[in-house]
Amino acid sequence: MIFTILKVIGIILLVVLALILTALLCVLFVPVKYRAVGSFDNTDIRAKAHVSWLLHLFALHIEYADETDGYIRLVFVKKKLFDNYEALDDDDMDEAAKTETEDKVSENTGDEPQIPADESEHVADEQTENESTAQTHNEQRTVNDENQHIKQQTKPTHQKTYKKPHKKQFKDKSDRIKNCIYKLKREYSDERNKAAFLHLKKELFIILKRICPRRLKLTMVYSTGSPDTTGISLGILACFPVGYTNRWRITPDFESENPYAKGSFDIKGHVIVISILAATLRILFDKNCRRLYNRISR
């Protein structure tokens, strides 16, 4: 009996460990895919971005046109990211306009309701009561005004004592940033730290290469308003090899007298967590990088 219980517990533990190991391997080796497509016509920009992982079990979708809309989905649970308010219907607009006109008419006419003769005595009693209550309210207001005047007299001293720590904190932060920049310049000029900076450069380039999109398509027709600047900008764009590798289609318009730009783009790529994690661990466990960090953090 005891052996069967232990056997069942062991099987359950193995199943749990297998599930944890499978989830960990999925996180490390299953790529996170992303894609963004859109079009632009001067200031009119329309774009869609989508991020998915593990056969779209996790998905993030964002759209931008006249309004920003999007959602996040985990398995079958979907949640909106932005709350877009709906416009009023025509009936609601008509009702709002009617109430607004009625209010304006009542304010402009200034007609007071007629009081019957039987209720005149009751109205007089109410007026005397209102006058007494108004007098008591005025007395309370004078007391409150005196209290506020006393608080305002004591307020500047609190403000002076409150502003000093903020100025000091801002100065301390700026001094820390300047000190850190000075240390980086000093360590970069040191011959002993060249190996650390070279290793950092290599690993950061690997991380950037893993994150960059695999496809970056661009189709554009543009003009700067004058033929000379349009040609200069085309020459500058031709200097970047990313345009050749992705076969960008950029057409300059030398005849237009008004500046404009319209076209479309398509960006697609994926990120594998294990490659980013491996590069980060190589930086952390490098002895030259650790020595550089210890020298800077002193």
Side-chain angles (χ1 to χ4, degrees):
M1 185 67 182
I2 297 173
F3 291 105
T4 55
I5 294 171
L6 293 175
K7 185 178 179 181
V8 172
I9 292 171
I11 292 171
I12 293 170
L13 290 174
L14 286 175
V15 170
V16 172
L17 289 174
L19 290 174
I20 293 171
L21 183 62
T22 304
L24 183 62
L25 291 174
C26 288
V27 171
L28 293 176
F29 292 99
V30 175
V32 179
K33 298 180 181 179
Y34 63 90
R35 187 178 183 182
V37 295
S39 62
F40 55 92
D41 188 356
N42 290 336
T43 58
D44 186 13
I45 301 172
R46 300 174 183 271
K48 294 180 181 180
H50 188 79
V51 180
S52 62
W53 176 72
L54 196 62
L55 300 175
H56 295 273
L57 291 178
F58 173 81
L60 174 67
H61 185 80
I62 297 174
E63 294 184 9
Y64 176 78
D66 296 331
E67 294 180 350
T68 305
D69 193 10
Y71 64 85
I72 185 170
R73 187 182 71 237
L74 181 61
V75 191
F76 299 107
V77 180
K78 186 176 179 180
K79 185 179 180 181
K80 289 181 69 66
L81 295 175
F82 306 98
D83 294 329
N84 295 324
Y85 297 98
E86 296 180 354
L88 293 175
D89 297 333
D90 295 333
D91 297 332
D92 297 333
M93 295 291 287
D94 294 335
E95 290 178 359
K98 286 179 181 179
T99 54
E100 187 175 358
T101 53
E102 288 176 358
D103 293 335
K104 287 182 179 180
V105 169
S106 62
E107 288 177 359
N108 292 325
T109 55
D111 294 334
E112 295 181 355
Q114 295 180 357
I115 301 171
D118 295 335
E119 296 180 357
S120 61
E121 295 179 355
H122 182 66
V123 171
D125 295 334
E126 287 183 352
Q127 287 178 355
T128 55
E129 290 179 358
N130 291 328
E131 289 176 357
S132 62
T133 54
Q135 187 175 2
T136 55
H137 283 302
N138 289 326
E139 291 176 356
Q140 290 179 357
R141 285 177 182 174
T142 54
V143 174
N144 291 327
D145 292 336
E146 290 178 357
N147 291 329
Q148 288 180 359
H149 182 67
I150 293 168
K151 288 181 180 179
Q152 287 178 358
Q153 288 180 353
T154 58
K155 200 172 185 179
T157 57
H158 294 292
Q159 288 180 353
K160 288 180 182 179
T161 56
Y162 184 70
K163 286 182 180 178
K164 287 182 180 179
H166 282 284
K167 291 181 180 179
K168 188 176 180 181
Q169 288 177 1
F170 180 75
K171 188 177 179 181
D172 292 339
K173 287 182 180 179
S174 62
D175 291 337
R176 288 177 184 175
I177 293 170
K178 290 179 181 178
N179 191 16
C180 184
I181 293 171
Y182 172 73
K183 286 182 179 179
L184 283 173
K185 289 181 178 179
R186 184 190 64 188
E187 298 299 331
Y188 184 75
S189 60
D190 193 352
E191 294 291 335
R192 295 174 295 178
N193 297 324
K194 282 188 176 180
F197 281 106
L198 288 174
H199 186 72
L200 281 172
K201 182 181 177 181
K202 179 183 176 182
E203 298 299 335
L204 291 175
F205 181 76
I206 291 172
I207 292 172
L208 184 63
K209 188 177 179 180
R210 297 289 186 270
I211 294 174
C212 284
R214 300 294 188 271
R215 183 175 69 186
L216 181 58
K217 289 186 177 180
L218 178 64
T219 304
M220 183 176 67
V221 179
Y222 79 100
S223 173
T224 60
S226 61
D228 53 350
T229 55
T230 302
I232 291 170
S233 61
L234 182 63
I236 293 170
L237 290 172
C239 294
F240 295 98
V242 65
Y244 298 105
T245 56
N246 292 278
R247 296 180 181 179
W248 287 1
R249 296 180 179 178
I250 301 174
T251 305
D253 186 359
F254 296 101
E255 297 179 356
S256 178
E257 296 179 356
N258 297 320
Y260 74 93
K262 60 181 180 179
S264 62
F265 60 88
D266 187 0
I267 302 170
K268 187 177 181 180
H270 65 270
V271 179
I272 301 175
V273 178
I274 187 64
S275 59
I276 309 298
L277 184 62
T280 307
L281 291 175
R282 285 195 296 269
I283 292 172
L284 293 176
F285 288 104
D286 185 70
K287 61 179 183 179
N288 295 321
C289 293
R290 287 203 309 270
R291 185 170 62 84
L292 178 63
Y293 175 75
N294 292 328
R295 288 174 62 88
I296 294 172
S297 61
R298 287 178 186 176

